[in-house]
Amino acid sequence: MKPALQPVYSSQQLTERVTTMGRAISKDYGDRTLDVVVMLDSAFVFAADLIRRISCPVVCHFVWAEIRDVQFAGHDRREIYFSKPPRLEKRDVLVVDAVVQSGLTQDFLLKRLQESRPRSLRLAALFDKPSERRVDLKPDYFCFAAASKYLAGYGLAGSRGWYRNVPYVGVQPRRARGLALAGRSARNKRKR
């Protein structure tokens, strides 16, 4: 039996924030058609809830990112591959992802989508982790600024792929203990 997650964001908090984001997006786009590009696989639950809260016409597209370690000229490199992105010329485009952490994957996808010359291109995320950013990228919309690396639930997979079906977001008990111990250790060092 899998251990329960320790809740960090309740289903009520998620609903309230996603509803607020949906209203903001609806206001920004008015009655224009919005092409929503959903990053699979972690954003599917968040995206499903979000698009139901957007009042303007919505067309959905789905892309899958795959990160591979490859060797090139004797050096190890990490490369990002996407399933074929949609053609979005002169369209209003919103990329939806669950977590913007380093920002590398989202930045790369946004640049690829920009090649098709959309009218507008924005990024929405459930969680923004700006302290871990490695590129100059900010989501246009986000629900929560988060610090923990180990969030699971509400579509986000925990260890062994578990917890995607949990209606809230939390941390796994072992990881929560590890994070608490690391935090306590850092506080003790600062006191010395």
Side-chain angles (χ1 to χ4, degrees):
M1 185 171 163
K2 66 183 177 187
L5 291 177
Q6 292 181 349
V8 177
Y9 301 98
S10 70
S11 58
Q12 182 178 349
Q13 288 174 300
L14 292 165
T15 298
E16 288 171 2
R17 289 290 182 86
V18 172
T19 299
T20 300
M21 181 187 287
R23 285 185 190 133
I25 292 167
S26 299
K27 182 180 176 193
D28 289 349
Y29 288 95
D31 62 354
R32 298 191 323 244
T33 299
L34 180 61
D35 283 76
V36 176
V37 177
V38 179
M39 295 284 295
L40 296 176
D41 60 346
S42 62
F44 74 102
V45 173
F46 165 55
D49 284 350
L50 178 62
I51 62 174
R52 286 192 298 258
R53 288 167 178 82
I54 296 173
S55 60
C56 61
V58 171
V59 176
C60 292
H61 310 274
F62 302 91
V63 294
W64 190 283
E66 182 180 343
I67 300 172
R68 299 181 201 159
D69 292 322
V70 296
Q71 278 214 329
F72 183 75
H75 299 283
D76 290 330
R77 287 179 24 171
R78 181 160 279 183
E79 292 188 356
I80 303 169
Y81 296 88
F82 291 101
S83 56
K84 186 176 179 180
R87 298 283 308 154
L88 299 164
E89 187 175 357
K90 298 180 183 174
R91 308 292 298 249
D92 290 304
V93 179
L94 178 68
V95 174
V96 176
D97 204 351
V99 181
V100 178
Q101 197 160 321
S102 72
L104 292 170
T105 303
Q106 294 89 357
D107 185 58
F108 189 65
L109 177 61
L110 290 168
K111 286 176 180 171
R112 284 205 50 207
L113 293 174
Q114 191 65 48
E115 292 170 1
S116 66
R117 296 186 187 97
R119 178 183 308 135
S120 66
L121 181 59
R122 293 182 178 169
L123 173 63
L126 179 60
F127 295 106
D128 183 25
K129 297 183 178 185
S131 65
E132 298 178 36
R133 198 79 78 244
R134 293 178 53 196
V135 294
D136 185 23
L137 176 72
K138 293 180 186 174
D140 300 279
Y141 308 94
F142 67 92
C143 291
F144 302 96
S148 172
K149 291 183 181 183
Y150 306 109
L151 297 173
Y154 195 64
L156 299 170
S159 62
R160 299 184 186 170
W162 289 344
Y163 306 112
R164 287 190 191 273
N165 62 325
V166 174
Y168 59 89
V169 173
V171 291
Q172 296 172 73
R174 279 191 215 135
R175 296 201 191 248
R177 264 194 308 274
L179 292 171
L181 291 174
R184 223 174 301 150
S185 174
R187 283 192 298 275
N188 290 339
K189 284 180 184 177
R190 284 192 299 261
K191 288 179 182 178
R192 292 181 191 163

